[in-house]
Every structure is written in structure tokens, then in C-alpha cells.
């Protein structure tokens, strides 16, 4: 299968059309007819994407979208609705929808948009660096250690990425300065040592600093704990 899709739509005829059509395109499809049960199912089961109607009984589409964004911010949501005004589209997209398709719609176009969203998620997941308990999301530029998010400056982030990309290798001061700061030669600056200190302190967890080893007279190495 190309992905598990949940359709939240209150018109049985459209639900049947989507279930049959998307299944023919290779997706595994389930559906719910109201916003309350739809949101519960989207949050309780591992779906890859949600196709969401805006005008739903129990809880409207915007409310469902808000709930999904709060609990599963990376879950792709394609809004499928009869509301075709520009204002409605802007509202849906601003609320967190990844895409917006107006009824009546082409099943082939919807399937193509679903595949595009799933490809984006797959590519984004591949843009993650991990070493031990350190995780870097290169798309969102977020850093976590032991599950705790850590705020870094732009330079701190770029330095950490470079160290993790070359983990286990001894990197000379000149290599790091050239890659992160753009210095072609080491002018005797201590900026690298200062920023290594920042990283060690900011990412300290339970008294444990980052596993960055100082290699005397050479540079630094991020020790690979994998």
C-alpha cells in the first residue's frame, strides 16, 4: 500500500466514492462520518494522512484540524470542501491544512496530491540527524537531547550539524572554521572554543555534557554513541 488514509466526511456517497477510488490507487482507506469520531480515530491510530471535510456534524473541520495540529503536528491533512471562496481557503490553510481541494473534484488530482504530501513527509523524515540521544530536525531546525527540545542560535545549530554529520571523525580547527564560519585560514580566533562551550552547556542533560572530545593541538570529535 502507498499509505493509510483516513477520510472524515459526512456524505455517505462521497465516502463510498473516495473509499473505492483511493483503494484503486493503492491506498488503504478508512472513514468516519463526523468530526468527533474522526478526530478520535485520527489520533488513536497510525494514519499517514487525513482527508478532511470542513462542514461536519459533532465538530466542524476547523475544530478537528486544530485538534490534530496540537496533537500530531506532522500528520498531513488535505481539506476537501464545498467552501470555495478565497477567504475559506486562506482560513483552512492558516489553520494548518497542508492542501485544499474544492468539491466537485477529480479523484486523480486528489490521489496525486496525497502522493505529493506523503513524499514530502518521507523526505522530511530522511532529513533527521541522530547520534546517541541527540536528534536534529534539519527541516524545522529543531534540536532535542533525550527528548528535550533545546534552543540554539543559528551558528550553534550549524556547528552541531557539522559535528554530527562527521561524528566519530577528528575534525581540525581549520576544517570546522571553514565549514561553519567560512574562514579559509585559522586567524588564531577562539570563537570555535567558545561555541563548543555553548553546545556543551546548552545540551547538558542530568549532568552529562555532549560527547564532544577535545583533541589536543588538532580540533574536536563528536563521539559516535550509536
Amino acid at each position: 500500500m502507498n499509505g493509510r488514509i483516513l477520510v472524515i466526511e459526512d456524505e455517505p456517497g462521497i465516502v463510498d466514492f473516495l473509499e473505492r477510488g483511493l483503494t484503486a490507487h493503492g491506498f488503504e482507506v478508512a472513514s468516519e462520518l463526523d468530526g468527533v469520531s474522526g478526530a478520535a480515530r485520527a489520533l488513536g491510530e497510525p494514519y499517514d494522512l487525513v482527508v478532511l471535510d470542513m462542514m461536519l456534524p459533532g465538530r466542524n473541520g476547523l475544530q478537528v484540524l486544530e485538534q490534530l495540529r496540537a496533537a500530531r503536528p506532522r500528520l498531513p491533512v488535505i481539506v476537501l470542501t464545498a467552501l470555495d471562496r478565497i477567504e475559506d481557503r486562506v482560513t483552512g490553510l492558516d489553520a494548518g491544512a497542508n492542501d485544499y481541494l474544492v468539491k466537485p473534484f477529480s479523484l486523480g488530482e486528489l490521489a496525486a496530491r496525497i502522493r505529493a504530501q506523503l513524499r514530502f513527509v518521507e523526505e522530511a523524515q530522511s532529513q533527521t540527524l541522530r547520534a546517541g540521544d541527540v536528534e536534529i530536525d534539519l527541516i524545522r531546525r529543531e534540536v532535542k537531547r533525550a527528548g528535550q527540545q533545546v534552543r540554539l542560535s543559528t551558528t550553534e545549530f550549524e556547528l552541531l550539524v557539522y559535528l554530527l554529520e562527521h561524528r566519530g571523525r577528528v575534525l581540525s580547527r581549520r576544517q570546522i572554521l571553514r565549514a561553519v564560519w567560512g574562514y579559509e585560514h585559522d586567524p588564531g580566533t577562539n570563537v570555535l572554543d567558545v561555541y563548543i562551550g555553548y553546545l556543551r552547556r546548552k545540551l547538558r542533560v542530568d549532568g552529562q555534557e555532549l560527547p564532544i572530545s577535545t583533541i589536543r593541538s588538532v580540533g574536536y570529535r563528536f563521539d559516535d554513541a550509536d
Side-chain angles (χ1 to χ4, degrees):
M1 290 293 178
N2 291 328
R4 298 190 71 215
I5 311 301
L6 177 64
V7 174
I8 307 177
E9 163 66 59
D10 67 328
E11 295 185 40
I14 294 179
V15 170
D16 182 67
F17 173 69
L18 289 174
E19 287 181 341
R20 292 173 181 271
L22 293 178
T23 298
H25 276 272
F27 299 107
E28 182 180 343
V29 186
S31 61
E32 291 293 341
L33 297 173
D34 66 84
V36 175
S37 59
R41 191 162 182 177
L43 297 178
E45 299 181 31
Y47 288 101
D48 300 306
L49 182 142
V50 171
V51 175
L52 176 66
D53 184 28
M54 282 287 97
M55 295 182 288
L56 294 167
R59 184 173 298 158
N60 67 42
L62 284 178
Q63 292 172 319
V64 172
L65 187 54
E66 180 180 338
Q67 189 175 358
L68 297 184
R69 280 291 156 262
R72 293 190 61 188
R74 298 191 185 187
L75 177 66
V77 177
I78 296 179
V79 166
L80 188 64
T81 180
L83 301 174
D84 60 354
R85 297 182 307 162
I86 294 297
E87 295 84 353
D88 295 320
R89 299 187 190 203
V90 170
T91 298
L93 293 170
D94 282 347
N98 298 84
D99 204 347
Y100 199 105
L101 200 57
V102 176
K103 301 174 183 176
F105 58 92
S106 159
L107 182 63
E109 181 181 1
L110 175 59
R113 293 191 183 205
I114 290 173
R115 287 193 293 269
Q117 290 298 326
L118 295 180
R119 278 197 305 272
F120 179 81
V121 170
E122 185 177 356
E123 290 167 1
Q125 288 174 342
S126 69
Q127 295 299 310
T128 302
L129 284 175
R130 293 185 180 87
D133 59 358
V134 178
E135 178 179 324
I136 303 177
D137 185 325
L138 299 175
I139 301 296
R140 295 173 178 267
R141 297 181 70 84
E142 294 177 350
V143 176
K144 293 181 180 179
R145 186 172 189 201
Q148 300 178 24
Q149 189 164 333
V150 181
R151 286 176 126 10
L152 298 181
S153 70
T154 298
T155 302
E156 291 165 349
F157 180 85
E158 298 297 339
L159 175 57
L160 183 61
V161 167
Y162 187 72
L163 292 172
L164 259 70
E165 284 178 335
H166 300 85
R167 57 189 179 274
R169 291 172 48 188
V170 176
L171 299 169
S172 70
R173 295 173 57 85
R174 179 174 295 183
Q175 283 177 295
I176 301 172
L177 287 167
R178 183 187 301 123
V180 179
W181 281 271
Y183 295 166
E184 287 302 320
H185 302 285
D186 184 352
T189 177
N190 71 340
V191 66
L192 173 57
D193 312 284
V194 170
Y195 274 84
I196 290 290
Y198 290 160
L199 290 181
R200 284 171 169 161
R201 287 193 296 275
K202 284 191 172 184
L203 281 94
R204 182 187 289 119
V205 173
D206 297 329
Q208 297 293 316
E209 291 186 344
L210 276 176
I212 301 175
S213 296
T214 301
I215 311 302
R216 188 180 298 276
S217 302
V218 180
Y220 295 94
R221 179 187 66 227
F222 193 101
D223 295 312
D224 195 343
D226 291 343

